[in-house]
mmCIF file of all heavy atoms in Angstrom:
data_model
loop_
_atom_site.group_PDB
_atom_site.id
_atom_site.type_symbol
_atom_site.label_atom_id
_atom_site.label_comp_id
_atom_site.label_asym_id
_atom_site.label_seq_id
_atom_site.Cartn_x
_atom_site.Cartn_y
_atom_site.Cartn_z
ATOM 1 N N MET N 1 134.524 130.376 102.691
ATOM 2 C CA MET N 1 133.418 130.433 101.735
ATOM 3 C C MET N 1 133.167 129.050 101.141
ATOM 4 O O MET N 1 134.080 128.361 100.718
ATOM 5 C CB MET N 1 133.777 131.429 100.625
ATOM 6 C CG MET N 1 132.649 131.641 99.642
ATOM 7 S SD MET N 1 133.152 132.861 98.405
ATOM 8 C CE MET N 1 132.339 132.189 96.976
ATOM 9 N N ALA N 2 131.894 128.628 101.150
ATOM 10 C CA ALA N 2 131.525 127.293 100.659
ATOM 11 C C ALA N 2 131.534 127.271 99.140
ATOM 12 O O ALA N 2 130.995 128.154 98.491
ATOM 13 C CB ALA N 2 130.147 126.925 101.165
ATOM 14 N N ASP N 3 132.176 126.270 98.582
ATOM 15 C CA ASP N 3 132.125 126.115 97.132
ATOM 16 C C ASP N 3 131.062 125.078 96.768
ATOM 17 O O ASP N 3 130.383 124.527 97.628
ATOM 18 C CB ASP N 3 133.498 125.766 96.558
ATOM 19 C CG ASP N 3 134.025 124.426 97.061
ATOM 20 O OD1 ASP N 3 133.231 123.650 97.625
ATOM 21 O OD2 ASP N 3 135.223 124.177 96.887
ATOM 22 N N ALA N 4 130.920 124.830 95.477
ATOM 23 C CA ALA N 4 129.842 123.951 94.998
ATOM 24 C C ALA N 4 129.967 122.539 95.566
ATOM 25 O O ALA N 4 128.962 121.887 95.854
ATOM 26 C CB ALA N 4 129.850 123.921 93.472
ATOM 27 N N VAL N 5 131.204 122.066 95.752
ATOM 28 C CA VAL N 5 131.389 120.710 96.271
ATOM 29 C C VAL N 5 130.906 120.628 97.716
ATOM 30 O O VAL N 5 130.252 119.652 98.122
ATOM 31 C CB VAL N 5 132.877 120.294 96.161
ATOM 32 C CG1 VAL N 5 133.098 118.941 96.828
ATOM 33 C CG2 VAL N 5 133.307 120.243 94.705
ATOM 34 N N ASP N 6 131.200 121.681 98.519
ATOM 35 C CA ASP N 6 130.715 121.696 99.904
ATOM 36 C C ASP N 6 129.194 121.675 99.947
ATOM 37 O O ASP N 6 128.584 120.962 100.750
ATOM 38 C CB ASP N 6 131.228 122.945 100.631
ATOM 39 C CG ASP N 6 132.737 122.908 100.835
ATOM 40 O OD1 ASP N 6 133.279 121.788 100.918
ATOM 41 O OD2 ASP N 6 133.345 123.984 100.899
ATOM 42 N N VAL N 7 128.571 122.490 99.108
ATOM 43 C CA VAL N 7 127.107 122.564 99.078
ATOM 44 C C VAL N 7 126.528 121.220 98.658
ATOM 45 O O VAL N 7 125.579 120.714 99.260
ATOM 46 C CB VAL N 7 126.631 123.694 98.133
ATOM 47 C CG1 VAL N 7 125.112 123.652 97.981
ATOM 48 C CG2 VAL N 7 127.078 125.040 98.668
ATOM 49 N N ALA N 8 127.121 120.615 97.634
ATOM 50 C CA ALA N 8 126.637 119.317 97.155
ATOM 51 C C ALA N 8 126.759 118.263 98.249
ATOM 52 O O ALA N 8 125.848 117.445 98.444
ATOM 53 C CB ALA N 8 127.417 118.891 95.920
ATOM 54 N N GLN N 9 127.862 118.292 98.981
ATOM 55 C CA GLN N 9 128.060 117.328 100.069
ATOM 56 C C GLN N 9 127.010 117.535 101.159
ATOM 57 O O GLN N 9 126.462 116.578 101.709
ATOM 58 C CB GLN N 9 129.474 117.484 100.650
ATOM 59 C CG GLN N 9 129.815 116.447 101.701
ATOM 60 C CD GLN N 9 129.797 115.033 101.133
ATOM 61 O OE1 GLN N 9 130.397 114.777 100.107
ATOM 62 N NE2 GLN N 9 129.107 114.128 101.792
ATOM 63 N N GLU N 10 126.708 118.794 101.459
ATOM 64 C CA GLU N 10 125.719 119.089 102.491
ATOM 65 C C GLU N 10 124.323 118.615 102.061
ATOM 66 O O GLU N 10 123.585 118.026 102.853
ATOM 67 C CB GLU N 10 125.703 120.595 102.770
ATOM 68 C CG GLU N 10 124.999 120.944 104.055
ATOM 69 C CD GLU N 10 125.336 122.353 104.511
ATOM 70 O OE1 GLU N 10 126.529 122.739 104.452
ATOM 71 O OE2 GLU N 10 124.407 123.068 104.892
ATOM 72 N N VAL N 11 123.966 118.864 100.797
ATOM 73 C CA VAL N 11 122.667 118.406 100.271
ATOM 74 C C VAL N 11 122.598 116.884 100.324
ATOM 75 O O VAL N 11 121.588 116.295 100.710
ATOM 76 C CB VAL N 11 122.461 118.927 98.833
ATOM 77 C CG1 VAL N 11 121.252 118.244 98.187
ATOM 78 C CG2 VAL N 11 122.276 120.437 98.844
ATOM 79 N N ASN N 12 123.708 116.234 99.949
ATOM 80 C CA ASN N 12 123.763 114.780 99.976
ATOM 81 C C ASN N 12 123.567 114.241 101.394
ATOM 82 O O ASN N 12 122.831 113.283 101.614
ATOM 83 C CB ASN N 12 125.102 114.320 99.399
ATOM 84 C CG ASN N 12 125.100 112.841 99.087
ATOM 85 O OD1 ASN N 12 124.151 112.335 98.511
ATOM 86 N ND2 ASN N 12 126.150 112.152 99.486
ATOM 87 N N ASP N 13 124.206 114.876 102.370
ATOM 88 C CA ASP N 13 124.063 114.451 103.766
ATOM 89 C C ASP N 13 122.624 114.606 104.235
ATOM 90 O O ASP N 13 122.084 113.733 104.911
ATOM 91 C CB ASP N 13 124.985 115.272 104.667
ATOM 92 C CG ASP N 13 126.451 114.890 104.495
ATOM 93 O OD1 ASP N 13 126.721 113.843 103.884
ATOM 94 O OD2 ASP N 13 127.311 115.653 104.976
ATOM 95 N N LEU N 14 121.991 115.730 103.890
ATOM 96 C CA LEU N 14 120.600 115.963 104.280
ATOM 97 C C LEU N 14 119.694 114.899 103.684
ATOM 98 O O LEU N 14 118.815 114.361 104.358
ATOM 99 C CB LEU N 14 120.144 117.354 103.825
ATOM 100 C CG LEU N 14 120.621 118.535 104.662
ATOM 101 C CD1 LEU N 14 120.253 119.839 103.972
ATOM 102 C CD2 LEU N 14 120.032 118.479 106.060
ATOM 103 N N HIS N 15 119.925 114.601 102.401
ATOM 104 C CA HIS N 15 119.105 113.597 101.724
ATOM 105 C C HIS N 15 119.280 112.233 102.366
ATOM 106 O O HIS N 15 118.309 111.516 102.598
ATOM 107 C CB HIS N 15 119.475 113.549 100.239
ATOM 108 C CG HIS N 15 118.678 112.556 99.468
ATOM 109 N ND1 HIS N 15 117.364 112.767 99.123
ATOM 110 C CD2 HIS N 15 118.994 111.330 99.010
ATOM 111 C CE1 HIS N 15 116.917 111.702 98.474
ATOM 112 N NE2 HIS N 15 117.875 110.829 98.383
ATOM 113 N N LEU N 16 120.512 111.880 102.684
ATOM 114 C CA LEU N 16 120.781 110.583 103.315
ATOM 115 C C LEU N 16 120.096 110.492 104.672
ATOM 116 O O LEU N 16 119.451 109.491 104.981
ATOM 117 C CB LEU N 16 122.296 110.388 103.457
ATOM 118 C CG LEU N 16 122.732 109.088 104.137
ATOM 119 C CD1 LEU N 16 122.263 107.880 103.328
ATOM 120 C CD2 LEU N 16 124.236 109.055 104.328
ATOM 121 N N ARG N 17 120.198 111.567 105.475
ATOM 122 C CA ARG N 17 119.549 111.543 106.796
ATOM 123 C C ARG N 17 118.042 111.408 106.661
ATOM 124 O O ARG N 17 117.411 110.666 107.413
ATOM 125 C CB ARG N 17 119.905 112.808 107.587
ATOM 126 C CG ARG N 17 121.205 112.681 108.361
ATOM 127 C CD ARG N 17 121.305 113.719 109.442
ATOM 128 N NE ARG N 17 121.391 115.066 108.905
ATOM 129 C CZ ARG N 17 122.526 115.670 108.548
ATOM 130 N NH1 ARG N 17 123.659 115.044 108.705
ATOM 131 N NH2 ARG N 17 122.517 116.890 108.070
ATOM 132 N N ALA N 18 117.445 112.124 105.711
ATOM 133 C CA ALA N 18 115.991 112.051 105.510
ATOM 134 C C ALA N 18 115.589 110.653 105.055
ATOM 135 O O ALA N 18 114.575 110.110 105.505
ATOM 136 C CB ALA N 18 115.550 113.100 104.496
ATOM 137 N N SER N 19 116.385 110.059 104.175
ATOM 138 C CA SER N 19 116.070 108.720 103.672
ATOM 139 C C SER N 19 116.161 107.679 104.786
ATOM 140 O O SER N 19 115.307 106.797 104.901
ATOM 141 C CB SER N 19 117.029 108.331 102.548
ATOM 142 O OG SER N 19 116.882 109.208 101.466
ATOM 143 N N LEU N 20 117.189 107.789 105.625
ATOM 144 C CA LEU N 20 117.341 106.843 106.728
ATOM 145 C C LEU N 20 116.199 106.988 107.716
ATOM 146 O O LEU N 20 115.670 106.001 108.228
ATOM 147 C CB LEU N 20 118.689 107.049 107.431
ATOM 148 C CG LEU N 20 119.910 106.615 106.626
ATOM 149 C CD1 LEU N 20 121.185 107.028 107.352
ATOM 150 C CD2 LEU N 20 119.910 105.118 106.400
ATOM 151 N N ALA N 21 115.787 108.218 108.004
ATOM 152 C CA ALA N 21 114.678 108.444 108.932
ATOM 153 C C ALA N 21 113.393 107.849 108.368
ATOM 154 O O ALA N 21 112.612 107.230 109.095
ATOM 155 C CB ALA N 21 114.511 109.937 109.194
ATOM 156 N N ALA N 22 113.171 108.025 107.061
ATOM 157 C CA ALA N 22 111.959 107.491 106.438
ATOM 158 C C ALA N 22 111.978 105.970 106.448
ATOM 159 O O ALA N 22 110.943 105.326 106.658
ATOM 160 C CB ALA N 22 111.838 108.007 105.005
ATOM 161 N N ALA N 23 113.140 105.374 106.238
ATOM 162 C CA ALA N 23 113.237 103.917 106.189
ATOM 163 C C ALA N 23 113.029 103.295 107.563
ATOM 164 O O ALA N 23 112.681 102.125 107.670
ATOM 165 C CB ALA N 23 114.596 103.506 105.643
ATOM 166 N N ARG N 24 113.240 104.092 108.630
ATOM 167 C CA ARG N 24 113.083 103.560 109.985
ATOM 168 C C ARG N 24 111.631 103.567 110.455
ATOM 169 O O ARG N 24 111.338 103.013 111.511
ATOM 170 C CB ARG N 24 113.923 104.381 110.975
ATOM 171 C CG ARG N 24 115.362 103.960 111.018
ATOM 172 C CD ARG N 24 116.070 104.564 112.215
ATOM 173 N NE ARG N 24 117.426 104.902 111.844
ATOM 174 C CZ ARG N 24 117.863 106.124 111.589
ATOM 175 N NH1 ARG N 24 117.058 107.155 111.710
ATOM 176 N NH2 ARG N 24 119.102 106.331 111.251
ATOM 177 N N GLN N 25 110.733 104.199 109.707
ATOM 178 C CA GLN N 25 109.334 104.233 110.128
ATOM 179 C C GLN N 25 108.762 102.823 110.109
ATOM 180 O O GLN N 25 108.965 102.084 109.147
ATOM 181 C CB GLN N 25 108.502 105.125 109.189
ATOM 182 C CG GLN N 25 108.916 106.579 109.213
ATOM 183 C CD GLN N 25 108.769 107.210 110.582
ATOM 184 O OE1 GLN N 25 107.751 107.040 111.227
ATOM 185 N NE2 GLN N 25 109.800 107.904 111.029
ATOM 186 N N PRO N 26 108.054 102.452 111.175
ATOM 187 C CA PRO N 26 107.460 101.112 111.175
ATOM 188 C C PRO N 26 106.342 101.018 110.145
ATOM 189 O O PRO N 26 105.628 101.991 109.906
ATOM 190 C CB PRO N 26 106.900 100.967 112.588
ATOM 191 C CG PRO N 26 106.719 102.361 113.084
ATOM 192 C CD PRO N 26 107.750 103.198 112.391
ATOM 193 N N VAL N 27 106.225 99.856 109.527
ATOM 194 C CA VAL N 27 105.182 99.614 108.534
ATOM 195 C C VAL N 27 104.001 98.953 109.237
ATOM 196 O O VAL N 27 104.170 97.942 109.911
ATOM 197 C CB VAL N 27 105.706 98.711 107.395
ATOM 198 C CG1 VAL N 27 104.596 98.389 106.412
ATOM 199 C CG2 VAL N 27 106.868 99.382 106.701
ATOM 200 N N ALA N 28 102.831 99.553 109.093
ATOM 201 C CA ALA N 28 101.637 98.994 109.718
ATOM 202 C C ALA N 28 101.349 97.612 109.137
ATOM 203 O O ALA N 28 101.502 97.402 107.932
ATOM 204 C CB ALA N 28 100.452 99.906 109.487
ATOM 205 N N ILE N 29 100.978 96.696 110.006
ATOM 206 C CA ILE N 29 100.765 95.319 109.566
ATOM 207 C C ILE N 29 99.532 95.220 108.669
ATOM 208 O O ILE N 29 99.583 94.634 107.605
ATOM 209 C CB ILE N 29 100.614 94.382 110.791
ATOM 210 C CG1 ILE N 29 101.935 94.333 111.548
ATOM 211 C CG2 ILE N 29 100.212 92.981 110.343
ATOM 212 C CD1 ILE N 29 101.854 93.642 112.881
ATOM 213 N N GLY N 30 98.415 95.801 109.090
ATOM 214 C CA GLY N 30 97.210 95.761 108.278
ATOM 215 C C GLY N 30 96.424 94.474 108.471
ATOM 216 O O GLY N 30 96.938 93.494 109.004
ATOM 217 N N THR N 31 95.191 94.504 108.036
ATOM 218 C CA THR N 31 94.318 93.349 108.175
ATOM 219 C C THR N 31 93.552 93.156 106.870
ATOM 220 O O THR N 31 93.284 94.117 106.162
ATOM 221 C CB THR N 31 93.298 93.561 109.301
ATOM 222 O OG1 THR N 31 92.613 94.800 109.067
ATOM 223 C CG2 THR N 31 93.969 93.620 110.660
ATOM 224 N N PRO N 32 93.189 91.909 106.532
ATOM 225 C CA PRO N 32 92.360 91.693 105.351
ATOM 226 C C PRO N 32 90.919 92.119 105.622
ATOM 227 O O PRO N 32 90.471 92.119 106.771
ATOM 228 C CB PRO N 32 92.459 90.176 105.140
ATOM 229 C CG PRO N 32 92.831 89.610 106.459
ATOM 230 C CD PRO N 32 93.595 90.675 107.191
ATOM 231 N N GLY N 33 90.217 92.504 104.568
ATOM 232 C CA GLY N 33 88.817 92.879 104.741
ATOM 233 C C GLY N 33 88.341 93.776 103.618
ATOM 234 O O GLY N 33 88.977 93.884 102.571
ATOM 235 N N GLU N 34 87.206 94.447 103.874
ATOM 236 C CA GLU N 34 86.570 95.300 102.873
ATOM 237 C C GLU N 34 86.957 96.750 103.116
ATOM 238 O O GLU N 34 86.775 97.270 104.219
ATOM 239 C CB GLU N 34 85.049 95.121 102.969
ATOM 240 C CG GLU N 34 84.290 95.711 101.798
ATOM 241 C CD GLU N 34 82.806 95.362 101.882
ATOM 242 O OE1 GLU N 34 82.472 94.171 101.727
ATOM 243 O OE2 GLU N 34 81.998 96.268 102.123
ATOM 244 N N CYS N 35 87.471 97.402 102.078
ATOM 245 C CA CYS N 35 87.883 98.797 102.186
ATOM 246 C C CYS N 35 86.666 99.678 102.478
ATOM 247 O O CYS N 35 85.619 99.535 101.851
ATOM 248 C CB CYS N 35 88.558 99.247 100.895
ATOM 249 S SG CYS N 35 89.020 100.979 100.882
ATOM 250 N N GLN N 36 86.830 100.627 103.428
ATOM 251 C CA GLN N 36 85.718 101.499 103.814
ATOM 252 C C GLN N 36 85.412 102.537 102.744
ATOM 253 O O GLN N 36 84.345 103.127 102.737
ATOM 254 C CB GLN N 36 86.045 102.219 105.138
ATOM 255 C CG GLN N 36 86.088 101.283 106.325
ATOM 256 C CD GLN N 36 86.544 101.987 107.593
ATOM 257 O OE1 GLN N 36 86.756 103.195 107.599
ATOM 258 N NE2 GLN N 36 86.702 101.212 108.660
ATOM 259 N N LYS N 37 86.364 102.796 101.846
ATOM 260 C CA LYS N 37 86.165 103.841 100.843
ATOM 261 C C LYS N 37 85.675 103.269 99.507
ATOM 262 O O LYS N 37 84.645 103.690 98.996
ATOM 263 C CB LYS N 37 87.467 104.620 100.649
ATOM 264 C CG LYS N 37 87.290 105.894 99.867
ATOM 265 C CD LYS N 37 88.571 106.716 99.913
ATOM 266 C CE LYS N 37 88.441 107.978 99.087
ATOM 267 N NZ LYS N 37 89.694 108.741 99.032
ATOM 268 N N CYS N 38 86.410 102.291 98.948
ATOM 269 C CA CYS N 38 86.027 101.758 97.632
ATOM 270 C C CYS N 38 85.190 100.492 97.734
ATOM 271 O O CYS N 38 84.588 100.073 96.750
ATOM 272 C CB CYS N 38 87.267 101.534 96.774
ATOM 273 S SG CYS N 38 88.342 100.213 97.349
ATOM 274 N N GLY N 39 85.153 99.867 98.932
ATOM 275 C CA GLY N 39 84.301 98.715 99.138
ATOM 276 C C GLY N 39 84.857 97.407 98.609
ATOM 277 O O GLY N 39 84.191 96.384 98.688
ATOM 278 N N ASP N 40 86.072 97.432 98.042
ATOM 279 C CA ASP N 40 86.674 96.208 97.515
ATOM 280 C C ASP N 40 87.195 95.344 98.658
ATOM 281 O O ASP N 40 87.629 95.862 99.686
ATOM 282 C CB ASP N 40 87.838 96.543 96.575
ATOM 283 C CG ASP N 40 87.351 97.035 95.221
ATOM 284 O OD1 ASP N 40 86.124 97.085 95.028
ATOM 285 O OD2 ASP N 40 88.197 97.382 94.385
ATOM 286 N N ASP N 41 87.154 94.033 98.443
ATOM 287 C CA ASP N 41 87.714 93.095 99.406
ATOM 288 C C ASP N 41 89.204 92.983 99.132
ATOM 289 O O ASP N 41 89.609 92.557 98.059
ATOM 290 C CB ASP N 41 87.021 91.739 99.261
ATOM 291 C CG ASP N 41 87.264 90.850 100.462
ATOM 292 O OD1 ASP N 41 87.231 91.372 101.595
ATOM 293 O OD2 ASP N 41 87.498 89.649 100.263
ATOM 294 N N MET N 42 90.015 93.426 100.098
ATOM 295 C CA MET N 42 91.456 93.491 99.884
ATOM 296 C C MET N 42 92.184 92.656 100.927
ATOM 297 O O MET N 42 91.716 92.513 102.058
ATOM 298 C CB MET N 42 91.933 94.954 99.985
ATOM 299 C CG MET N 42 91.279 95.877 98.969
ATOM 300 S SD MET N 42 91.677 95.463 97.268
ATOM 301 C CE MET N 42 93.279 96.226 97.116
ATOM 302 N N PRO N 43 93.340 92.096 100.546
ATOM 303 C CA PRO N 43 94.099 91.279 101.506
ATOM 304 C C PRO N 43 94.753 92.104 102.616
ATOM 305 O O PRO N 43 95.125 91.560 103.644
ATOM 306 C CB PRO N 43 95.161 90.599 100.642
ATOM 307 C CG PRO N 43 95.282 91.466 99.435
ATOM 308 C CD PRO N 43 93.937 92.103 99.217
ATOM 309 N N ARG N 44 94.914 93.420 102.392
ATOM 310 C CA ARG N 44 95.577 94.223 103.416
ATOM 311 C C ARG N 44 94.950 95.610 103.478
ATOM 312 O O ARG N 44 95.041 96.398 102.538
ATOM 313 C CB ARG N 44 97.067 94.356 103.106
ATOM 314 C CG ARG N 44 97.808 95.165 104.148
ATOM 315 C CD ARG N 44 99.313 95.085 103.954
ATOM 316 N NE ARG N 44 99.982 95.926 104.917
ATOM 317 C CZ ARG N 44 100.422 97.153 104.650
ATOM 318 N NH1 ARG N 44 100.288 97.666 103.458
ATOM 319 N NH2 ARG N 44 101.009 97.863 105.581
ATOM 320 N N LEU N 45 94.330 95.903 104.631
ATOM 321 C CA LEU N 45 93.785 97.235 104.901
ATOM 322 C C LEU N 45 94.546 97.834 106.072
ATOM 323 O O LEU N 45 94.874 97.153 107.029
ATOM 324 C CB LEU N 45 92.303 97.144 105.285
ATOM 325 C CG LEU N 45 91.355 96.474 104.293
ATOM 326 C CD1 LEU N 45 89.974 96.378 104.917
ATOM 327 C CD2 LEU N 45 91.296 97.234 102.994
ATOM 328 N N VAL N 46 94.813 99.133 105.996
ATOM 329 C CA VAL N 46 95.407 99.851 107.116
ATOM 330 C C VAL N 46 94.474 101.011 107.429
ATOM 331 O O VAL N 46 94.185 101.831 106.568
ATOM 332 C CB VAL N 46 96.825 100.374 106.784
ATOM 333 C CG1 VAL N 46 97.378 101.196 107.946
ATOM 334 C CG2 VAL N 46 97.750 99.214 106.469
ATOM 335 N N GLY N 47 93.964 101.049 108.673
ATOM 336 C CA GLY N 47 92.998 102.070 109.060
ATOM 337 C C GLY N 47 91.699 101.924 108.281
ATOM 338 O O GLY N 47 90.993 102.904 108.065
ATOM 339 N N GLY N 48 91.382 100.714 107.822
ATOM 340 C CA GLY N 48 90.143 100.459 107.102
ATOM 341 C C GLY N 48 90.211 100.786 105.625
ATOM 342 O O GLY N 48 89.218 100.671 104.920
ATOM 343 N N LEU N 49 91.383 101.221 105.130
ATOM 344 C CA LEU N 49 91.503 101.614 103.721
ATOM 345 C C LEU N 49 92.534 100.747 103.014
ATOM 346 O O LEU N 49 93.565 100.394 103.584
ATOM 347 C CB LEU N 49 91.929 103.089 103.603
ATOM 348 C CG LEU N 49 90.972 104.124 104.187
ATOM 349 C CD1 LEU N 49 91.580 105.509 104.079
ATOM 350 C CD2 LEU N 49 89.617 104.081 103.485
ATOM 351 N N CYS N 50 92.260 100.450 101.721
ATOM 352 C CA CYS N 50 93.214 99.694 100.921
ATOM 353 C C CYS N 50 94.355 100.625 100.472
ATOM 354 O O CYS N 50 94.281 101.837 100.642
ATOM 355 C CB CYS N 50 92.515 99.081 99.714
ATOM 356 S SG CYS N 50 92.012 100.263 98.447
ATOM 357 N N GLY N 51 95.365 100.035 99.885
ATOM 358 C CA GLY N 51 96.531 100.806 99.458
ATOM 359 C C GLY N 51 96.196 101.862 98.418
ATOM 360 O O GLY N 51 96.745 102.959 98.428
ATOM 361 N N PHE N 52 95.281 101.546 97.503
ATOM 362 C CA PHE N 52 94.911 102.500 96.454
ATOM 363 C C PHE N 52 94.248 103.731 97.063
ATOM 364 O O PHE N 52 94.567 104.863 96.700
ATOM 365 C CB PHE N 52 93.971 101.824 95.452
ATOM 366 C CG PHE N 52 94.608 100.691 94.703
ATOM 367 C CD1 PHE N 52 94.316 99.377 95.019
ATOM 368 C CD2 PHE N 52 95.523 100.954 93.690
ATOM 369 C CE1 PHE N 52 94.916 98.328 94.342
ATOM 370 C CE2 PHE N 52 96.120 99.915 93.003
ATOM 371 C CZ PHE N 52 95.820 98.596 93.328
ATOM 372 N N CYS N 53 93.323 103.508 98.004
ATOM 373 C CA CYS N 53 92.618 104.630 98.628
ATOM 374 C C CYS N 53 93.553 105.422 99.540
ATOM 375 O O CYS N 53 93.480 106.652 99.592
ATOM 376 C CB CYS N 53 91.403 104.135 99.405
ATOM 377 S SG CYS N 53 90.122 103.470 98.330
ATOM 378 N N ARG N 54 94.451 104.756 100.242
ATOM 379 C CA ARG N 54 95.397 105.467 101.116
ATOM 380 C C ARG N 54 96.317 106.362 100.297
ATOM 381 O O ARG N 54 96.649 107.475 100.716
ATOM 382 C CB ARG N 54 96.247 104.475 101.926
ATOM 383 C CG ARG N 54 95.486 103.746 103.010
ATOM 384 C CD ARG N 54 96.451 103.105 104.009
ATOM 385 N NE ARG N 54 97.458 102.260 103.396
ATOM 386 C CZ ARG N 54 97.284 100.992 103.032
ATOM 387 N NH1 ARG N 54 96.114 100.405 103.220
ATOM 388 N NH2 ARG N 54 98.260 100.293 102.496
ATOM 389 N N ASP N 55 96.741 105.882 99.136
ATOM 390 C CA ASP N 55 97.665 106.657 98.303
ATOM 391 C C ASP N 55 96.954 107.635 97.395
ATOM 392 O O ASP N 55 97.595 108.470 96.764
ATOM 393 C CB ASP N 55 98.513 105.721 97.443
ATOM 394 C CG ASP N 55 99.433 104.862 98.283
ATOM 395 O OD1 ASP N 55 99.560 105.129 99.491
ATOM 396 O OD2 ASP N 55 100.024 103.914 97.727
ATOM 397 N N GLY N 56 95.617 107.529 97.274
ATOM 398 C CA GLY N 56 94.867 108.440 96.428
ATOM 399 C C GLY N 56 95.035 108.166 94.947
ATOM 400 O O GLY N 56 94.923 109.070 94.127
ATOM 401 N N ARG N 57 95.313 106.909 94.579
ATOM 402 C CA ARG N 57 95.474 106.578 93.160
ATOM 403 C C ARG N 57 94.437 105.536 92.770
ATOM 404 O O ARG N 57 93.924 104.803 93.604
ATOM 405 C CB ARG N 57 96.889 106.060 92.885
ATOM 406 C CG ARG N 57 97.215 104.799 93.636
ATOM 407 C CD ARG N 57 98.715 104.516 93.657
ATOM 408 N NE ARG N 57 99.035 103.659 94.783
ATOM 409 C CZ ARG N 57 99.339 102.373 94.659
ATOM 410 N NH1 ARG N 57 99.422 101.810 93.500
ATOM 411 N NH2 ARG N 57 99.592 101.650 95.722
ATOM 412 N N ARG N 58 94.161 105.495 91.505
ATOM 413 C CA ARG N 58 93.242 104.492 90.978
ATOM 414 C C ARG N 58 94.053 103.335 90.436
ATOM 415 O O ARG N 58 95.162 103.516 89.971
ATOM 416 C CB ARG N 58 92.377 105.080 89.861
ATOM 417 C CG ARG N 58 91.477 106.223 90.287
ATOM 418 C CD ARG N 58 90.558 105.909 91.445
ATOM 419 N NE ARG N 58 89.892 104.619 91.303
ATOM 420 C CZ ARG N 58 89.351 103.951 92.333
ATOM 421 N NH1 ARG N 58 89.409 104.444 93.535
ATOM 422 N NH2 ARG N 58 88.765 102.808 92.128
ATOM 423 N N ARG N 59 93.469 102.155 90.489
ATOM 424 C CA ARG N 59 94.178 100.992 89.967
ATOM 425 C C ARG N 59 94.057 100.932 88.455
ATOM 426 O O ARG N 59 93.207 101.514 87.860
ATOM 427 C CB ARG N 59 93.665 99.722 90.613
ATOM 428 C CG ARG N 59 92.175 99.449 90.324
ATOM 429 C CD ARG N 59 91.664 98.323 91.169
ATOM 430 N NE ARG N 59 91.408 98.847 92.528
ATOM 431 C CZ ARG N 59 91.200 98.051 93.576
ATOM 432 N NH1 ARG N 59 91.267 96.778 93.449
ATOM 433 N NH2 ARG N 59 90.957 98.554 94.755
HETATM 434 ZN ZN1 ZN T 101 89.941 101.221 98.740
#
């Protein structure tokens, strides 16, 4: 029977594996230009969108 320490260790392992997998994702290089959504001139666009528009947040 699993006790709380076993469960905590298992959750910790899952979190570590997920974090490592996320950290291994390649980061898109991006290009400078005008954002297709907000129209601002930004130093780095990925898929034609600036970081604010990609993340759905306002500056
Ligand atoms: Zn934008």
Side-chain angles (χ1 to χ4, degrees):
M1 185 178 144
D3 63 14
V5 174
D6 292 332
V7 173
Q9 185 62 50
E10 195 163 316
V11 169
N12 194 45
D13 288 347
L14 283 172
H15 180 75
L16 178 62
R17 274 198 294 273
S19 297
L20 289 173
R24 277 193 216 104
Q25 296 299 314
V27 176
I29 294 170
T31 53
E34 193 174 292
C35 177
Q36 292 174 4
K37 193 171 178 184
C38 68
D40 284 359
D41 196 41
M42 300 296 279
R44 181 170 177 262
L45 303 175
V46 176
L49 298 176
C50 71
F52 296 104
C53 292
R54 289 196 307 278
D55 295 349
R57 62 196 157 106
R58 298 305 314 160
R59 62 190 78 194

